[in-house]
């Protein structure tokens, strides 16, 4: 299950087959013999022979090409098994910074270079300033074929990302900050078990938002965090707050064989990310001083680098680093006990203050109100200039419009005409929301946009909500769902195919 073989139809170039591996959480055991647990770290080397006309790349600190199209890779830093990754395909590279290059199929390489030239180094430099040296040497990005079902996978030295990030106007480049943040949290300091996945993801969300604040300012970061909090709310409403998976410390029952235990992949949801982020923010709130907490994070990375640790190690180190907080007994403040954070399901007991984001949310809220009105006040609408709005402000606006949908007859059609920046955007986050609005408002004239978007990519996060919306809609949208799926099924990852079949009752 770890090794994904793509036919030419599933690639961007449609000419040659492609192979990639996806190890997280426990699939690398099907690729090579290993202790497939994040608690064991090791260095590795590999020799890979591929046919003429193909290139091999791995998550390694050094590699060289020998004769007969044989590649030799070495990872000189100890990593857990899930971070070993291999790609073989028709791929080429282009430099985009002093220690970064982009890799992609030949038909995507120009777009990738244009989008990321000079961008990665800026994020890396801020990360180093905040969390200490970047130890992996290179930071390359590999743009995967459109059928890649995930947003990104933080394989060291070589992050795999969806080609959906190639918006054409750099409007999604900040998505890579999350994967860059894993260079310290996850790859360098790693959760010892998948039951404490929040140590990887909660700290990475916090680190991502610290870098984003330095680069884009606090209001924008608060707006992005508000989007994340809304996703956590949706997830907890869907599963029920007291679901055992809505704890930070999840009990993964081992079985005596693979089929009887719990697959850690089944525990994957918004909780370790967003509730984990709230817990790290709570620790920062206890410290009460951002630069002191930044210094703690550097010390934490330095203390545990190249190790796999538990939440007890993390929290023990926190109390040792701040003896005055330990003396105050901050680990057992009623209602906010560390133990409660880890072991009680449900909504986070502490939420960071996102009010600086209001200055960006308020205009978006007001504009959505105007568009939802019965008689459109075009004078008021035209007075709002959205040309300077960045992605998350537009996403927030569209989420509000979607919540108010269906809008009065004709409003969405006018909205589409008024903002081609949105309705004709190549930005995948905007395309997803626009397609959802089109479906919710039965705007048949733009159903082709839904079809085009589903033909262009196979990312799970974008594909499943659109099939759910089509299947929950009219006869026409159900027919659209069937027609689109039968045309695109061969280009989708097998897991995504199966999820869509479930939605369509096939």
């Amino acid at each position: 299950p770890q090794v994904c073989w793509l036919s030419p139809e599933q690639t961007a170039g449609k000419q040659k087959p492609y192979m990639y591996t996806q190890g997280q959480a426990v699939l690398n055991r099907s690729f090579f013999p290993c202790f497939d647990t994040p608690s064991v770290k090791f260095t590795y080397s590999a020799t890979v022979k591929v046919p003429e006309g193909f290139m091999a790349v791995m998550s390694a600190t050094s590699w060289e090409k020998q004769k007969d199209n044989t590649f030799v890779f070495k990872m000189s830093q100890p990593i857990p098994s899930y971070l070993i990754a291999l790609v073989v395909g028709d791929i080429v590279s282009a430099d985009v910074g002093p220690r970064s290059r982009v890799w992609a199929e030949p038909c995507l390489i120009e777009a990738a270079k244009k989008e990321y030239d000079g961008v990665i180094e800026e994020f890396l430099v801020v990360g180093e300033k905040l969390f200490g040296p970047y130890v992996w040497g290179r930071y390359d990005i590999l743009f995967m074929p459109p059928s890649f079902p995930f947003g990104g996978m933080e394989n060291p030295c070589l992050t795999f990302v969806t080609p959906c990030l190639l918006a054409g106007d750099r409007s999604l480049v900040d998505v890579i900050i999350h994967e860059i943040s894993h260079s310290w949290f996850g790859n360098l300091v790693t959760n010892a078990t998948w039951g404490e996945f929040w140590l990887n993801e909660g700290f990475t969300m916090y680190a991502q938002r610290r870098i984003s604040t330095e680069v884009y300012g606090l209001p924008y970061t608060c707006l992005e965090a508000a989007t994340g909090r809304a996703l956590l709310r949706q997830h907890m409403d869907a599963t029920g707050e007291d679901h055992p998976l809505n704890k930070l410390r999840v009990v993964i029952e081992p079985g005596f064989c693979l089929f009887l235990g719990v697959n850690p992949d089944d525990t994957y949801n918004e909780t370790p990310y967003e509730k984990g982020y709230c817990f790290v923010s709570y620790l920062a709130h206890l410290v009460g001083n951002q630069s002191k907490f930044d210094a703690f994070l550097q010390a934490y990375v330095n203390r545990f680098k190249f190790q796999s640790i538990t939440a007890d190690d993390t929290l023990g180190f926190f109390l040792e680093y701040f003896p005055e907080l330990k003396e105050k007994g901050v680990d057992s403040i009623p209602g906010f006990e560390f133990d409660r954070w880890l072991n009680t399901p449900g909504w986070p007991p502490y939420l960071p203050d996102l009010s600086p984001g209001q200055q960006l949310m308020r205009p978006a809220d007001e504009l959505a109100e105007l568009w939802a009105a019965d008689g459109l006040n075009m004078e008021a609408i035209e007075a709002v200039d959205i040309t300077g709005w960045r992605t998350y402000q537009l996403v927030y606006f569209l989420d509000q419009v979607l919540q108010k949908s269906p809008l009065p007859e004709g409003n969405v059609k006018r909205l589409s005409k008024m903002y081609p920046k949105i309705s004709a955007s190549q930005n995948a986050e905007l395309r997803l929301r626009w397609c959802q609005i089109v479906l919710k408002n039965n705007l048949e004239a733009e159903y082709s946009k839904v079809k085009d978007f589903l033909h262009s990519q196979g990312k799970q996060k974008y594909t499943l909500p659109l099939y759910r919306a089509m299947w929950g809609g009219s006869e026409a949208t159900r027919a659209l769902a069937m027609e689109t799926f039968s045309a695109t099924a061969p280009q989708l990852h097998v897991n995504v195919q199966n999820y869509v079949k479930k939605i369509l009752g096939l």
Side-chain angles (χ1 to χ4, degrees):
Q2 144 60 318
V3 183
C4 303
W5 303 93
L6 305 185
S7 62
E9 300 82 72
Q10 291 173 297
T11 68
K14 312 268 188 238
Q15 301 299 311
K16 294 181 177 179
Y18 195 103
M19 186 277 275
Y20 70 89
T21 66
Q22 170 60 32
Q24 196 173 15
V26 290
L27 290 177
N28 267 343
R29 60 187 70 184
S30 70
F31 171 35
F32 59 92
C34 60
F35 294 108
D36 202 3
T37 159
S39 63
V40 175
K41 291 191 172 186
F42 48 82
T43 57
Y44 80 87
S45 60
T47 306
V48 183
K49 188 175 190 318
V50 300
E52 270 310 314
F54 288 87
M55 176 83 191
V57 287
M58 289 190 82
S59 54
T61 41
S62 73
W63 58 280
E64 58 169 308
K65 186 178 177 182
Q66 299 181 338
K67 56 180 194 306
D68 307 337
N69 234 23
T70 298
F71 297 83
V72 177
F73 300 95
K74 281 194 177 67
M75 168 48 87
S76 54
Q77 316 274 30
I79 58 171
S81 56
Y82 74 90
L83 290 176
I84 293 184
L86 165 70
V87 161
V88 178
D90 179 13
I91 50 173
V92 291
S93 69
D95 285 329
V96 291
R99 46 185 162 171
S100 303
R101 59 171 83 93
V102 287
W103 291 89
E105 293 179 63
C107 61
L108 290 179
I109 195 69
E110 271 314 304
K113 182 172 166 45
K114 214 171 111 202
E115 200 88 352
Y116 279 87
D117 211 2
V119 169
I120 295 169
E121 188 60 23
E122 180 187 8
F123 297 151
L124 282 173
V125 167
V126 177
E128 290 191 298
K129 188 182 93 183
L130 289 170
F131 315 120
Y134 177 77
V135 303
W136 307 100
R138 297 200 64 81
Y139 187 90
D140 289 3
I141 302 184
L142 173 61
F143 288 90
M144 301 293 278
S147 58
F148 185 59
F150 312 104
M153 179 60 214
E154 66 272 13
N155 303 308
C157 309
L158 187 70
T159 286
F160 291 4
V161 292
T162 169
C164 293
L165 294 190
L166 300 175
D169 58 4
R170 298 197 162 188
S171 56
L172 283 175
V173 293
D174 54 342
V175 174
I176 204 71
I177 299 177
H178 182 86
E179 309 308 333
I180 285 174
S181 300
H182 272 304
S183 306
W184 294 272
F185 304 97
N187 295 5
L188 195 52
V189 180
T190 309
N191 48 228
T193 74
W194 291 118
E196 295 191 327
F197 186 43
W198 78 273
L199 286 174
N200 276 15
E201 294 301 348
F203 274 90
T204 294
M205 291 306 288
Y206 187 86
Q208 167 199 322
R209 288 170 181 157
R210 277 298 291 122
I211 294 176
S212 169
T213 300
E214 296 285 310
V215 177
Y216 299 116
L218 188 59
Y220 185 69
T221 302
C222 287
L223 177 61
E224 185 273 325
T227 316
R229 188 179 295 177
L231 289 173
L232 180 65
R233 185 70 271 167
Q234 279 169 23
H235 159 73
M236 288 211 176
D237 288 346
T239 54
E241 282 202 15
D242 49 3
H243 193 287
L245 290 184
N246 292 332
K247 295 190 293 197
L248 290 181
R249 185 182 271 154
V250 177
V251 181
I252 298 180
E253 292 294 347
F256 59 85
C257 75
L258 191 56
F259 304 105
L260 295 182
V262 172
N263 182 344
D265 278 347
D266 296 341
T267 68
Y268 173 87
N269 60 52
E270 299 297 337
T271 298
Y273 290 79
E274 295 295 345
K275 188 175 179 177
Y277 165 71
C278 289
F279 190 18
V280 181
S281 301
Y282 176 63
L283 298 177
H285 162 76
L286 289 174
V287 173
N289 174 310
Q290 187 64 61
S291 51
K292 274 188 181 170
F293 192 70
D294 288 347
F296 159 73
L297 288 177
Q298 273 209 36
Y300 169 73
V301 169
N302 195 39
R303 166 77 175 78
F304 294 114
K305 62 186 177 204
F306 302 118
Q307 296 177 49
S308 302
I309 63 171
T310 64
D312 294 340
D313 297 323
T314 300
L315 298 171
F317 181 71
F318 175 76
L319 294 172
E320 185 187 309
Y321 188 87
F322 295 109
E324 67 283 11
L325 292 181
K326 184 177 184 173
E327 216 164 288
K328 270 188 177 153
V330 292
D331 54 336
S332 50
I333 297 169
F336 301 95
E337 300 90 347
F338 289 1
D339 186 67
R340 173 182 168 163
W341 273 102
L342 294 175
N343 298 312
T344 308
W347 196 241
Y350 167 88
L351 294 170
D353 173 23
L354 303 180
S355 59
Q358 279 302 329
Q359 67 184 77
L360 299 176
M361 287 181 220
R362 205 171 302 114
D365 277 323
E366 287 163 5
L367 187 60
E369 283 290 337
L370 289 170
W371 279 105
D374 266 330
L376 289 178
N377 177 349
M378 289 314 290
E379 199 182 330
I381 285 172
E382 280 161 9
V384 183
D385 178 14
I386 69 162
T387 48
W389 290 14
R390 295 177 55 82
T391 297
Y392 281 107
Q393 196 171 8
L394 293 167
V395 161
Y396 182 81
F397 165 65
L398 292 178
D399 282 342
Q400 304 315 304
V401 171
L402 183 61
Q403 274 174 18
K404 299 176 196 306
S405 290
L407 303 188
E409 189 65 36
N411 286 18
V412 174
K413 199 173 167 185
R414 288 194 74 173
L415 193 149
S416 174
K417 228 179 154 139
M418 172 111 183
Y419 305 132
K421 173 183 177 173
I422 291 174
S423 59
S425 175
Q426 287 307 297
N427 177 318
E429 293 289 330
L430 300 181
R431 286 177 86 178
L432 167 67
R433 271 105 183 153
W434 185 248
C435 289
Q436 288 173 306
I437 288 167
V438 163
L439 292 167
K440 192 96 179 266
N441 290 277
N442 295 316
L443 189 62
E444 292 194 30
E446 298 203 14
Y447 282 177
S448 61
K449 288 184 178 170
V450 179
K451 204 160 85 176
D452 292 347
F453 187 41
L454 289 169
H455 273 266
S456 74
Q457 56 76 41
K459 186 179 168 185
Q460 188 171 309
K461 179 185 159 188
Y462 301 143
T463 303
L464 303 187
L466 290 180
Y467 277 105
R468 284 193 199 101
M470 286 188 281
W471 202 244
S474 61
E475 281 302 301
T477 60
R478 285 187 152 210
L480 180 69
M482 283 305 209
E483 176 206 334
T484 308
F485 182 59
S486 63
T488 58
Q491 70 187 40
L492 294 174
H493 186 277
V494 63
N495 290 356
V496 180
Q497 278 182 33
N498 290 333
Y499 288 135
V500 176
K501 281 179 182 165
K502 225 184 220 164
I503 293 168
L504 306 183
L506 297 172

